[in-house]
Amino acid sequence: MKLKFNINLALGIVFCVLPFQNIFSQCPQIESILVDACDNGGDEGFNEMVRFKVGSSPINTSSLSVNWPSNSWQGIVQNAISAAKVATINAQIATAGGCGKLIEPPGGVLPANAKVILVTSYNFDIILNDFGALSEDTYIIFQDNATTSGGHFGNFGASATRTLSMNFGGGCSDTVSYNRSLLIDINGNKVPTGTYICILH
C-alpha cells in the first residue's frame, strides 16, 4: 500500500509544472499529470489525476473526451458519491485552515480560466488523497469509471513514450507526451514504481 498523499503538495510539487508558454491561449491547456497515484495496491486506475486550465471560453464537460495512454474514456459523471466526497474534502480543507474549496461544475459547465482537476474515477480514495489546506478554488470532475482499476498511464520503467490527448470541443484539444524512463520524484530522483511520480511535458 502506498502512503497517504497530500494533493496540496501535488498541486505545488508532485504535479510538475509543464514548460511555461508565453503565448495567450483561448483553448484549455493540460498542465500536469499525477501518473503514479496513491492507492491501496490494486486501484490505481481510480486515483490518477490530470490538471488543466480552461481557456478564455467556458466548456461543457459533456463535450470533453480523453484518449488515455491505457484504458478507454468513460465520460464525466456527477452523482451522489462524487458530491459526498467533494463535501467531505471541503470540510477537511476548512479544518486544515484552507481558504479554497473544490467545486463540481454547476450544470457540467467549467467557467473560463478555471483551474480543473480531472480524477480518473469517482471511486477515488479520499483517505489516501488529502487536499490539505487548499488555498484557491479549484474545479474537480470525475470520469464515470466504476470498475477500471488498472492504471491509465505508465509508471517508471523501461523507455517508452506515453501520450495523453484531450479534446475539449469547439475545435480545442491538447496533447502531452512523456517517456516513462524519465519520470522523477519530488526530489528530482528517478525512482521505481510504487512512489509518487510527476511528469514533465
Side-chain angles (χ1 to χ4, degrees):
M1 182 195 337
K2 297 177 187 176
L3 299 174
K4 184 173 181 179
F5 183 60
N6 188 306
I7 300 302
N8 206 29
L9 286 177
L11 294 174
I13 299 173
V14 174
F15 275 121
C16 284
V17 177
L18 301 179
F20 180 76
Q21 296 182 0
N22 242 343
I23 54 175
F24 175 77
S25 176
Q26 295 181 355
C27 288
Q29 297 278 312
I30 299 168
E31 295 186 327
S32 56
I33 304 169
L34 177 60
V35 171
D36 193 354
C38 191
D39 65 271
N40 285 314
D43 57 359
E44 185 169 349
F46 294 158
N47 293 285
E48 296 156 313
M49 302 180 201
V50 176
R51 188 179 66 174
F52 66 93
K53 185 173 181 181
V54 176
S56 59
S57 299
I59 58 172
N60 194 310
T61 57
S62 66
S63 63
L64 176 66
S65 65
V66 178
N67 185 3
W68 305 110
S70 299
N71 302 326
S72 299
W73 173 240
Q74 299 181 52
I76 295 294
V77 66
Q78 284 183 237
N79 58 22
I81 296 172
S82 66
K85 289 187 176 185
V86 169
T88 299
I89 292 168
N90 282 334
Q92 293 168 346
I93 291 168
T95 299
C99 56
K101 63 183 178 295
L102 294 179
I103 305 165
E104 286 192 278
V109 177
L110 295 165
N113 302 310
K115 294 181 179 182
V116 184
I117 296 172
L118 165 60
V119 184
T120 51
S121 174
Y122 60 91
N123 283 329
F124 87 116
D125 191 322
I126 62 172
I127 302 299
L128 294 177
N129 294 290
D130 176 18
F131 284 75
L134 190 69
S135 61
E136 61 183 339
D137 290 352
T138 303
Y139 285 80
I140 189 164
I141 56 177
F142 302 92
Q143 183 177 217
D144 190 7
N145 169 21
T147 59
T148 303
S149 59
H152 293 70
F153 301 101
N155 297 342
F156 181 86
S159 180
T161 299
R162 296 289 186 260
T163 299
L164 167 70
S165 298
M166 298 180 70
N167 188 316
F168 301 96
C172 286
S173 63
D174 197 17
T175 300
V176 294
S177 295
Y178 67 96
N179 186 318
R180 67 182 197 161
S181 69
L182 302 176
L183 292 170
I184 57 174
D185 67 12
I186 59 174
N187 299 311
N189 302 312
K190 292 183 180 180
V191 291
T193 300
T195 55
Y196 308 124
I197 293 174
C198 58
I199 69 160
L200 299 176
H201 183 224

